[in-house]
Amino acid sequence: MPIYEVPVREMQFLIHDVLQTQNYSNLPGFADATPDFIDAVLGEAAKFNEQVVQPLNVVGDKEGCTRHDDGSVTTPTGFREAYKQFCEQGLGSIAMDPEYGGQGLPIFLAYATMEMTTSANHSFGMYPGLSGGAWRAIHAAASDEQKQTYLPKMTSGEWTGTMNLTEPQCGTDLGLIRSKAVPQEDGTYKISGQKIWISAGEHDMAYNIIHLVLARIEGAPEGIKGISLFIVPKFILDENGEPGERNPVSCGGLEEKMGIHGNATCVMNYDGATGYIVGEEHKGMRAMFIMMNEARLGVGLQGYASSEVAYQNAAAFARDRLQSRSITGAKNPDGPADPIIVHPDVRRMLMDTKAFTEAGRALVFWASLQADLEHKAEDEATRQKAGDYMALLTPVIKGYLTHRGYQATNDSLQLFGGSGFVEEWGMSQFVRDCRISTIYEGTNGIQALDLVGRKLMADGGRAWQTYFAEIDQLVEDLDGKEDLQVFVDGLRDTKTKLADATQWMGANAMANFDNAGAGSFDYLCLFGLTSLAHMWLLMAKSAAEQKDESDPFFANKLITGRYFVERILPEADAHLAKLKTGADSMMALEAAAF
């Protein structure tokens, strides 16, 4: 049976020591988030996820969801009861607006608890995760009346939400959407069409489900400019704001998937369902991107959250599994063999995973603090910089953390040898569940194109120039400090390579757009390595300041970080070299030759 223990100490280190969030007590919601309060929230959330959510992980994988003849869907045994407890503990409303019943606490605290739920049970965590994204889209783009109508019960978790984008003929290219919206005299619309791969589209965990649906109003412009966004509730609300008549929207089937079996991935049929437009006509993508960006950060979190739980199980196995003798002499002379953790190649897989996971967590926590600053900082310059960082790093976080997280989860299975391929150990489920993270909410190839094609060029390159300058300043400030020099040198060297890649892209992409496409994924990986090196320098600075012989935590942190610099950062050279080859050899073969 797989294990999972929430890494509370790691989270506390980042929140209190590295990010020093207590220094932001002047911002809304931060005054209440004292270190003691944060620790209490982390402790209670850890207990719930370890004792209630994690034991349901294997249950969800084996049982899956069941669709009935009437179109209703039953979630795996225990999911419904666990979700009720999740809502009662307020875990879904931590950072939501108090005007609608939320707690108004910092976003970083919500992400910390989200990590716990994802590591404990990926499928279960998707239900409140998707609902939170829908909540934010409505909060940002809907009318005051719509907010008052839907947000309070979505905040409490009584109602959940979804995002409905994909159709059978289109995934990423949303300009091909065919779902139509016909205006009615009362100001509503009749929505017709089919959506596929809709996570949590139908289930028994909440009574009403508020679907956010992209559709095209009759006569709208072709392509993405003609798409509008609609609220389409499962039940139409009566004059008292309570669910009344059933809307003609239904689950036509459940997908049979490689993983995340405990989440209901639905084919949704809209047969003239009543919908309410969100914002302006033909401006639906603007609102939907709010939800998509929220979801992309959450998916990036899934990348390192999967590697965290996989690592914990792999480390435990490596300490206990006896196999062969150490090549430097027996380490367990009284036993028949040594534990496999003595073998360097086993250590390689564990250290790769550990070094990535700790930096990935730091990057997501740091980014979530930027999200807080973007909305709550007192001065415009701070808000602008935080917003720039969020826009720039969202594709990096989604793309690189899931790419690396899947690799780390695979390595953790590999460490088990043949046992990893056997279901009773649970490693197969971690790999199967994690695999979707590189695909949904925009494949990692799309994230790379977004980074190179949109984010680098935005506002004349202001975001990356500011970010590079911040790294340069940090390197200058810490250069010469003995405990940190390896981290300083590693970050400086990798950022220099990223700057070189950025200049190469600027000089060569316009001459041949295929150069940008051919190098985009390597560029994303190079950016990801730089961002993780940035996080390791911040963590190393805090660890070095607190290093104490009586507490190995900080010394171990520095060892892990040094491993990252020495064994993982050299990958930057390969990414830069591949990027600079351009597109010629990649595009040379005729399609028929493949």
Side-chain angles (χ1 to χ4, degrees):
M1 186 73 175
I3 60 170
Y4 173 59
E5 180 179 344
V6 174
V8 173
R9 179 75 185 277
E10 295 286 345
M11 296 178 178
Q12 291 171 328
F13 170 68
L14 291 174
I15 293 170
H16 302 322
D17 302 333
V18 179
L19 300 178
Q20 298 183 351
T21 60
Q22 62 272 17
N23 293 338
Y24 298 93
S25 59
N26 59 310
L27 302 183
F30 278 71
D32 295 329
T34 63
D36 287 345
F37 178 83
I38 289 171
D39 289 347
V41 172
L42 295 178
E44 289 302 309
K47 188 185 306 179
F48 170 73
N49 282 289
E50 289 171 355
Q51 297 178 4
V52 178
V53 179
Q54 192 273 339
L56 297 176
N57 191 46
V58 173
V59 175
D61 187 55
K62 293 187 180 302
E63 289 189 12
C65 297
T66 303
R67 179 187 177 275
H68 306 286
D69 290 341
D70 62 357
S72 63
V73 172
T74 301
T75 52
T77 302
F79 271 45
R80 184 176 181 179
E81 293 76 15
Y83 179 71
K84 182 179 179 182
Q85 293 181 58
F86 179 93
C87 296
E88 289 172 347
Q89 293 202 13
L91 292 175
S93 64
I94 287 174
M96 291 181 175
D97 192 340
E99 183 176 348
Y100 306 104
Q103 299 173 60
L105 292 165
I107 295 172
F108 70 78
L109 187 55
Y111 271 79
T113 62
M114 186 190 305
E115 177 197 326
M116 299 179 193
T117 305
T118 302
S119 291
N121 191 326
H122 188 142
S123 293
F124 178 86
M126 290 175 65
Y127 291 95
L130 267 295
S131 192
W135 186 99
R136 281 179 170 72
I138 294 173
H139 186 264
S143 67
D144 288 341
E145 181 182 0
Q146 288 172 332
K147 293 177 189 178
Q148 293 293 343
T149 299
Y150 297 103
L151 291 185
K153 290 192 176 179
M154 292 179 72
T155 301
S156 68
E158 294 175 71
W159 300 349
T160 59
T162 69
M163 52 192 296
N164 284 237
L165 288 75
T166 307
E167 299 182 3
Q169 79 286 349
C170 71
T172 300
D173 190 356
L174 295 174
L176 300 177
I177 279 176
R178 295 175 187 163
S179 292
K180 65 179 182 178
V182 180
Q184 304 297 297
E185 291 183 359
D186 63 358
T188 64
Y189 294 78
K190 293 298 182 184
I191 311 297
S192 299
Q194 186 179 80
K195 299 289 184 177
I196 62 171
W197 304 337
I198 307 306
S199 301
E202 175 63 28
H203 56 81
D204 60 351
M205 291 161 62
Y207 185 68
N208 205 7
I209 302 175
I210 312 305
H211 302 288
L212 288 185
V213 183
L214 289 181
R216 195 182 303 279
I217 299 172
E218 289 184 321
E222 292 296 317
I224 201 168
K225 294 182 179 179
I227 295 174
S228 300
L229 180 65
F230 301 88
I231 291 174
V232 186
K234 178 178 176 178
F235 289 97
I236 300 171
L237 306 186
D238 61 22
E239 62 276 6
N240 298 316
E242 296 298 326
E245 177 186 355
R246 176 66 189 262
N247 216 354
V249 52
S250 61
C251 172
L254 292 176
E255 303 289 356
E256 295 186 16
K257 310 182 296 290
M258 174 181 175
I260 55 169
H261 295 156
N263 193 268
T265 306
C266 303
V267 176
M268 300 300 296
N269 296 322
Y270 293 84
D271 302 306
T274 298
Y276 309 88
I277 195 166
V278 176
E280 302 176 45
E281 291 185 356
H282 319 318
K283 304 292 185 184
M285 288 307 299
R286 184 182 304 169
M288 187 59 84
F289 269 122
I290 296 168
M291 183 160 63
M292 291 172 68
N293 285 333
E294 168 88 8
R296 284 169 178 169
L297 290 174
V299 173
L301 178 150
Q302 290 173 1
Y304 82 79
S306 295
S307 68
E308 171 65 45
V309 66
Y311 166 79
Q312 289 189 21
N313 283 271
F317 185 85
R319 287 191 295 265
D320 292 341
R321 173 70 166 170
L322 301 182
Q323 191 79 32
S324 305
R325 289 296 185 188
S326 168
I327 56 178
T328 57
K331 301 299 187 291
N332 178 34
D334 295 331
D338 289 330
I340 63 173
I341 200 167
V342 305
H343 304 308
D345 195 59
V346 170
R347 292 258 181 155
R348 172 188 62 83
M349 291 183 281
L350 287 173
M351 290 297 289
D352 276 2
T353 302
K354 180 177 174 62
F356 156 73
T357 302
E358 292 180 15
R361 177 182 295 110
L363 182 58
V364 169
F365 280 31
W366 179 87
S368 62
L369 178 58
Q370 303 306 310
D372 280 312
L373 294 175
E374 179 184 8
H375 298 293
K376 299 176 181 179
E378 295 175 339
D379 63 288
E380 175 59 29
T382 301
R383 290 196 298 271
Q384 181 187 84
K385 184 175 79 166
D388 284 350
Y389 285 178
M390 288 294 291
L392 175 68
L393 289 170
T394 291
V396 177
I397 290 170
K398 193 284 180 186
Y400 190 67
L401 295 195
T402 60
H403 166 69
R404 197 86 200 195
Y406 180 63
Q407 178 181 328
T409 305
N410 261 304
D411 279 349
S412 296
L413 182 150
Q414 177 73 22
L415 187 147
F416 276 71
S419 297
F421 205 65
V422 177
E423 290 294 334
E424 72 174 283
W425 290 93
M427 300 306 291
S428 168
Q429 184 189 351
F430 296 142
V431 172
R432 289 185 284 105
D433 286 352
C434 183
R435 188 64 183 88
I436 187 60
S437 65
T438 67
I439 298 172
Y440 60 12
E441 305 308 335
T443 65
N444 287 356
I446 294 298
Q447 302 304 316
L449 289 174
D450 179 45
L451 175 63
V452 169
R454 291 193 182 99
K455 301 305 170 60
L456 290 184
M457 304 295 290
D459 300 305
R462 184 180 69 202
W464 65 263
Q465 291 170 27
T466 304
Y467 184 60
F468 286 8
E470 181 168 325
I471 288 176
D472 289 341
Q473 187 62 58
L474 180 65
V475 165
E476 181 181 336
D477 291 344
L478 299 179
D479 197 13
K481 295 186 180 296
E482 183 177 354
D483 286 348
L484 302 179
Q485 198 60 50
V486 65
F487 300 94
V488 170
D489 292 342
L491 176 56
R492 176 167 43 212
D493 181 63
T494 307
K495 181 262 168 183
T496 299
K497 292 181 174 64
L498 178 60
D500 186 4
T502 305
Q503 291 177 349
W504 190 93
M505 281 290 191
N508 292 274
M510 295 305 294
N512 180 358
F513 290 151
D514 278 342
N515 284 330
S520 61
F521 187 72
D522 284 297
Y523 185 84
L524 181 142
C525 290
L526 187 49
F527 213 122
L529 284 168
T530 305
S531 297
L532 295 190
H534 179 200
M535 294 302 108
W536 266 118
L537 179 52
L538 293 177
M539 288 190 287
K541 176 178 179 294
S542 182
E545 291 170 348
Q546 302 179 78
K547 190 166 60 173
D548 182 348
E549 291 183 3
S550 65
D551 184 355
F553 178 87
F554 301 110
N556 290 342
K557 184 67 65 178
L558 291 169
I559 292 171
T560 305
R562 192 179 80 238
Y563 178 91
F564 177 86
V565 172
E566 294 176 351
R567 299 280 303 190
I568 297 178
L569 272 190
E571 295 173 12
D573 292 293
H575 288 303
L576 180 61
K578 289 190 291 182
L579 180 151
K580 284 188 170 184
T581 64
D584 289 349
S585 62
M586 188 177 292
M587 306 303 292
L589 281 180
E590 295 294 331
F594 283 90

